[in-house]
Amino acid sequence: MIKYFPLKGSVLTLGITAILAGACENKRPEGQNAASEDNKNAVADSTAASGSKLSSEPLVTDIYTADPSAHVFNNRIYIYPSHDVESTVPEDDLGSHFDMKDYHILSMDSVGGKVTDHGVGLDIKDIPWAGRQLWAPDAAFKNGKYYLYFPVKDKQDIFRMGVATSTSPTGPFKAEPKPIAGSFSIDPAVFRDDDGNHYMYFGGIWGGQLQRWKNGKYDANGSKTDLNKPEDPALTAKVVKLSSDMLSFAEPVKDVVILDNAGKPILGKDHDRRFFEASWMHKYNGKYYFSYSTGDTHTISYAIGNNPYGPFTYQGVVLKPVTGWTNHHSIVEHKGKWYIFYHDSKFSGGKTHLRSVKVAELKYNPDGTIQTIDPETL
Ligand code: FUB
């Protein structure tokens, strides 16, 4: 991530958005001190949107949530989002005002049903090595244990990935004492393949620091937002198989290469198609769908491959730009339908760092391509 400019789109859009947000009956979050945070892991039912209006309304409205990673465990949908809060840290090009400090886990029986906020599942103060900025997490399940993967800056201000474990999908999670060895950057997305192997996809440019890593070394003086030469292949997301205990990387990290239709890598100058952040992997009809945010061009795009490592061939846009700067999603199947969980900043009146998680149905064409979703029509 990101140079966090204010809301893109017209003043008119912003005005309409604000009116709509004000018109809905939802309670507005009150900064960081939402009631459920006082009671660690307490279960608080939230007003869920329902029926056909579901996709345009936040899943919860007493806190701000973003970067939703949705999974189905025991036939229930669990959502692992960032917990956005108001911040005293000034806005800068690296998203320093995205100063999140804990995670709330949400769940629901089915899309359209009641959403439960399970309270704080992990707090930054319980991560021994953490410095600041608890960003987009993901979760996985294996052999009776749940794993919460999270990026946070360490005390040297370098993003690393940590893992925390629990016997419950809703936590509380206990963080391992150190970051995952060899981890860097942001936005972990953990995918379980049909053979039981788990892979982590990750990375984010600009504030996500991916451009500062060369040959396993971090350059603190490296560019903040500048990347490769524009004619070079774009910086890639990363993929790595996880160890059987789910706590470490089982192999060296590899590049997630995205090709165009001619089989050439997408170039750095191709801002409409190149990877920026927010990786996700799902499998559909035996194919591997790698989806991601294009960052400064604000779409969720996708590419298809034949195995978890790729290469992946660019296909198009899954989700057009949402209100707010960031776009971040997950894709999950439940009860025979596919859904995209995403966020936007409508409910906060367009504040980029105060986002709300939403859900919409995702549909495929007969040839396996995804029908593009325009969030403004939901
Ligand atoms: O929530 C903080 C950052 O914003 C995430 O890590 C990015 O993907 C973007 O959504």
Side-chain angles (χ1 to χ4, degrees):
M1 189 188 72
I2 302 199
K3 192 156 180 166
Y4 295 93
F5 296 113
L7 179 66
K8 61 188 173 303
S10 66
V11 173
L12 177 65
T13 309
L14 177 56
I16 292 170
T17 298
I19 290 164
L20 287 175
C24 70
E25 291 178 1
N26 294 324
K27 240 190 323 164
R28 196 161 289 280
E30 292 168 11
Q32 307 185 36
N33 299 319
S36 52
E37 288 179 282
D38 296 332
N39 185 3
K40 193 168 166 77
N41 220 37
V43 175
D45 291 339
S46 294
T47 311
S50 62
S52 60
K53 286 188 177 162
L54 177 85
S55 48
S56 61
E57 294 180 14
L59 292 190
V60 292
T61 54
D62 51 352
I63 58 170
Y64 289 110
T65 53
D67 308 325
S69 292
H71 290 276
V72 176
F73 298 132
N74 299 321
N75 210 25
R76 188 171 174 85
I77 302 174
Y78 292 89
I79 303 144
Y80 299 83
S82 299
H83 176 193
D84 282 358
V85 286
E86 205 34 289
S87 165
T88 52
V89 181
E91 182 166 342
D92 65 15
D93 286 356
L94 302 180
S96 300
H97 58 304
F98 286 72
D99 194 21
M100 294 88 102
K101 298 183 190 316
D102 63 30
Y103 297 120
H104 280 229
I105 293 143
L106 312 177
S107 76
M108 53 191 177
D109 194 37
S110 56
V111 168
K114 187 173 74 178
V115 179
T116 301
D117 176 351
H118 296 272
V120 176
L122 179 66
D123 194 302
I124 196 167
K125 68 176 163 38
D126 298 321
I127 304 167
W129 53 274
R132 60 178 180 142
Q133 296 182 283
L134 201 50
W135 282 8
D138 195 16
F141 171 76
K142 187 176 177 183
N143 293 342
K145 247 191 199 173
Y146 295 87
Y147 298 84
L148 181 67
Y149 297 91
F150 56 88
V152 67
K153 282 181 176 165
D154 65 15
K155 302 206 192 288
Q156 285 72 48
D157 231 26
I158 301 174
F159 268 116
R160 305 276 182 188
M161 236 85 73
V163 56
T165 57
S166 176
T167 51
S168 160
T170 59
F173 285 87
K174 183 167 172 41
E176 292 292 297
K178 291 187 175 161
I180 296 173
S183 70
F184 57 95
S185 200
I186 59 166
D187 290 358
V190 175
F191 164 72
R192 182 191 184 278
D193 206 349
D194 300 332
D195 62 5
N197 283 318
H198 287 81
Y199 300 85
M200 181 188 286
Y201 298 82
F202 66 93
I205 59 178
W206 297 18
Q209 302 178 337
L210 194 58
Q211 72 282 1
R212 289 184 169 178
W213 285 90
K214 299 252 154 42
N215 305 321
K217 292 223 161 58
Y218 181 74
D219 177 6
N221 299 315
S223 168
K224 282 184 182 170
T225 57
D226 210 12
L227 312 168
N228 289 342
K229 293 190 192 113
E231 300 295 336
D232 286 348
L235 280 178
T236 60
K238 306 294 169 194
V239 56
V240 64
K241 191 191 276 188
L242 294 178
S243 58
S244 57
D245 68 2
M246 304 288 278
L247 300 178
S248 60
F249 293 170
E251 60 183 6
V253 167
K254 296 175 169 57
D255 288 342
V256 176
V257 175
I258 302 172
L259 305 173
D260 63 17
N261 271 340
K264 300 253 166 52
I266 299 286
L267 301 181
K269 68 179 181 188
D270 190 347
H271 293 244
D272 284 336
R273 297 192 293 177
R274 61 105 174 82
F275 169 78
F276 192 102
E277 62 184 0
S279 296
W280 189 256
M281 171 59 66
H282 76 279
K283 204 169 176 180
Y284 178 75
N285 282 349
K287 297 279 186 196
Y288 295 79
Y289 287 61
F290 176 69
S291 46
Y292 56 98
S293 167
T294 57
D296 56 349
T297 47
H298 312 286
T299 71
I300 299 297
S301 284
Y302 75 109
I304 298 180
N306 293 319
N307 68 74
Y309 294 110
F312 301 91
T313 303
Y314 183 86
Q315 302 293 323
V317 171
V318 178
L319 180 65
K320 290 186 178 177
V322 297
T323 297
W325 202 97
T326 66
N327 206 345
H328 192 123
H329 72 301
S330 59
I331 295 170
V332 71
E333 186 183 19
H334 191 232
K335 297 184 178 167
K337 286 188 170 185
W338 286 88
Y339 297 98
I340 181 166
F341 287 78
Y342 66 103
H343 68 223
D344 68 27
S345 294
K346 282 188 177 171
F347 192 60
S348 70
K351 290 188 179 162
T352 56
H353 63 296
L354 295 178
R355 302 159 292 180
S356 302
V357 167
K358 300 181 169 184
V359 59
E361 192 174 347
L362 179 131
K363 293 190 173 143
Y364 297 88
N365 295 310
D367 66 358
T369 54
I370 292 174
Q371 295 179 10
T372 302
I373 298 167
D374 179 352
E376 293 310 322
T377 63
L378 293 172

